[in-house]
Amino acid sequence: MLRLIAPDIRFHTSFVEALGEFGESSRDGSGDYAFDFTGLDDPDRFGALVDALRAEALPETTRQEGLVPCTYLWMTEDDRFVGFLAIRHELTDFLLNQGGHIGYSVRPGDRRRGHATSALHESLPTAAGLGIDRVLVTCDEDNAGSRAVIEGNGGLYEDSRFGKRRYWIDAASA
């Protein structure tokens, strides 16, 4: 059964394996745009990444300009890392137009098993607990799988901007 958890060093081996599966493809919800994901075979570097990802949820954490507080969650199944999910606490202009409140990705070998649908559903109460009553979730225009995930979670299409479909989900009633 899929679980959403805070980043945890227990998933070191399967996390590194998942990075290999992703290769150069997008890892939405991972935080890799803000953190160095190289050298994570080293347990100390991996532990530092886990600590940094957990700290991002705290408003007082110093972060790069343009970045907002973010709760990073990992999709896990049994003792395996399955994917990334990020809940951004605020929307910048970029996030309002393209990125949204929630981003996610499932490792390639675990796709098409309902993990993204379950993870998005499970994340909505957390978003509501952060004071985000209406959650913006986006996907690429040509990403039929992500579109189905969002719509399956009650996403209401608003419009498309910069090649992204924009949906709103009522997290307060989730």
Side-chain angles (χ1 to χ4, degrees):
M1 183 166 95
L2 184 83
R3 291 179 46 220
L4 279 181
I5 66 162
D8 191 310
I9 60 171
R10 292 180 300 130
F11 294 90
H12 182 205
T13 300
S14 62
F15 182 96
V16 171
E17 290 169 355
L19 290 182
E21 280 185 39
F22 276 104
E24 297 300 315
S25 65
S26 175
R27 297 183 297 237
D28 293 332
S30 69
D32 63 357
Y33 55 86
F35 299 100
D36 184 0
F37 273 43
T38 61
L40 293 178
D41 288 333
D42 177 344
D44 291 334
R45 282 187 61 84
F46 184 74
L49 173 67
V50 166
D51 291 343
L53 291 172
R54 285 174 165 254
E56 279 300 302
L58 306 172
E60 65 271 15
T61 296
T62 303
R63 56 188 51 83
Q64 296 174 26
E65 185 175 336
L67 299 183
V68 300
C70 183
T71 298
Y72 289 101
L73 299 170
W74 288 353
M75 298 177 214
T76 63
E77 189 173 50
D78 300 320
D79 291 328
R80 287 184 67 248
F81 173 87
V82 175
F84 303 100
L85 186 136
I87 304 172
R88 300 165 195 113
H89 302 190
E90 306 164 15
L91 293 178
T92 62
D93 285 340
F94 172 79
L95 293 173
L96 179 64
N97 287 297
Q98 297 181 53
H101 284 106
I102 297 177
Y104 54 84
S105 57
V106 175
R107 68 192 284 177
D110 286 288
R111 292 181 182 159
R112 299 193 174 150
R113 296 183 187 173
H115 294 315
T117 300
S118 294
L120 181 56
H121 176 76
E122 294 296 319
S123 72
L124 295 174
T126 302
L130 293 166
I132 308 168
D133 294 332
R134 290 182 64 232
V135 173
L136 176 64
V137 186
T138 69
C139 67
D140 290 338
E141 285 282 358
D142 62 353
N143 190 337
S146 195
R147 180 178 176 176
V149 165
I150 297 166
E151 291 174 356
N153 274 285
L156 299 176
Y157 176 74
E158 180 176 61
D159 62 12
S160 293
R161 301 176 189 177
F162 306 101
K164 301 284 185 180
R165 295 180 63 86
R166 298 172 65 254
Y167 293 87
W168 291 94
I169 301 174
D170 183 4
S173 65

